[in-house]
Amino acid sequence: EVQLVESGGGLVQPGGSLRLSCAASGFTFSDHYMDWVRQAPGKGLEWVGRTRNKANSYTTEYAASVKGRFTISRDDSKNSLYLQMNSLKTEDTAVYYCATPGFDYWGQGTLVTVSS
Amino acid sequence: DVVMTQSPLSLPVTLGQPASISCRSSQSLVYSDGNTYLNWFQQRPGQSPRRLIYKVSNRDSGVPDRFSGSGSGTDFTLKISRVEAEDVGVYYCMQGTHWPPFTFGPGTKVDIK
């Protein structure tokens, strides 16, 4: 059974940093691209970014709204995906989900609140 | 970026009656491989999104057959043949043809009259 479990959310001040993790199981994590998607409170879904697999040099893509501030990485030995978020803004407040590349599996999400 | 629009944004429905949601993209979603990467998601209150339909009309495993997807090019439709109480939630279309970025529609809230 595929499972994705996010962690690391919390309250952070504007300008601060936070690192989210996503623990994956039930599939061959290293073979797959992986995505982050977020959802601001009461709002719709916004794609954040993607990491490709080793065969594609772990290259990444980002939404314009987070490019230059967020970094996606992965550790295939730990079946884990990460989202390093720097220079956080109040508008980054959202539930952050990790998802498999077809968006067929999603985690339960972790809430990030950016507020002073 | 491809802009996805949905209508209606709110859809009150009667139990047992059909429902239909329209999704339009700002450009054709036909990819060079001939596939059209248009997905539909359901998000029940308090839950993570769940993919219902991929590549326009393919139902995911475990999705009831009362859900169906259709369309081509820039115009797509999600239909529920007979709405049940468990279908309450927000439905999103999403394009995966022209990425980055992947883009979602604004969502259609389905509730019971």
Side-chain angles (χ1 to χ4, degrees):
Chain A
E1 178 194 5
V2 172
Q3 282 202 321
L4 300 171
V5 179
E6 301 94 338
S7 61
L11 175 64
V12 61
Q13 292 189 336
S17 297
L18 207 58
R19 188 197 197 205
L20 306 183
S21 300
C22 171
S25 60
F27 65 105
T28 307
F29 178 78
S30 59
D31 285 350
H32 293 277
Y33 297 11
M34 291 293 294
D35 290 90
W36 287 98
V37 178
R38 69 183 179 181
Q39 186 170 36
K43 303 297 184 182
L45 300 169
E46 180 188 17
W47 175 78
V48 171
R50 164 171 282 193
T51 175
R52 295 181 178 87
N53 55 12
K54 181 178 181 180
N56 290 279
S57 304
Y58 298 126
T59 53
T60 52
E61 306 287 349
Y62 298 95
S65 57
V66 307
K67 196 169 187 177
R69 300 187 299 121
F70 289 13
T71 302
I72 297 173
S73 62
R74 61 193 294 164
D75 184 338
D76 289 347
S77 68
K78 295 182 178 179
N79 288 346
S80 291
L81 177 71
Y82 305 103
L83 181 64
Q84 177 67 44
M85 304 184 294
N86 298 332
S87 303
L88 282 160
K89 307 175 181 180
T90 55
E91 52 264 40
D92 295 319
T93 294
V95 174
Y96 286 74
Y97 299 98
C98 61
T100 50
F103 303 95
D104 46 345
Y105 293 97
W106 297 61
Q108 86 288 351
T110 187
L111 175 62
V112 173
T113 303
V114 185
S115 174
S116 54
Chain B
D1 297 356
V2 177
V3 177
M4 305 297 290
T5 57
Q6 291 180 228
S7 63
L9 298 183
S10 178
L11 183 56
V13 296
T14 301
L15 289 174
Q17 293 301 302
S20 179
I21 300 170
S22 172
C23 172
R24 289 186 174 173
S25 57
S26 59
Q27 57 186 278
S28 173
L29 298 186
V30 180
Y31 189 55
S32 55
D33 64 2
N35 288 309
T36 300
Y37 295 95
L38 185 285
N39 295 337
W40 287 97
F41 298 88
Q42 174 194 61
Q43 188 174 31
R44 291 170 171 153
Q47 294 188 13
S48 301
R50 169 198 183 193
R51 196 180 73 179
L52 297 176
I53 302 283
Y54 62 97
K55 288 193 286 185
V56 180
S57 59
N58 296 275
R59 257 191 320 273
D60 273 278
S61 175
V63 174
D65 61 7
R66 64 179 181 275
F67 289 93
S68 63
S70 63
S72 63
T74 61
D75 290 325
F76 305 93
T77 303
L78 176 70
K79 292 184 179 178
I80 310 174
S81 59
R82 294 173 306 280
V83 172
E84 298 190 5
E86 66 179 17
D87 300 336
V88 165
V90 181
Y91 292 79
Y92 298 93
C93 60
M94 187 213 81
Q95 68 84 20
T97 296
H98 304 286
W99 68 274
F102 294 94
T103 48
F104 292 86
T108 295
K109 185 175 183 180
V110 172
D111 59 13
I112 305 300
K113 284 182 184 175

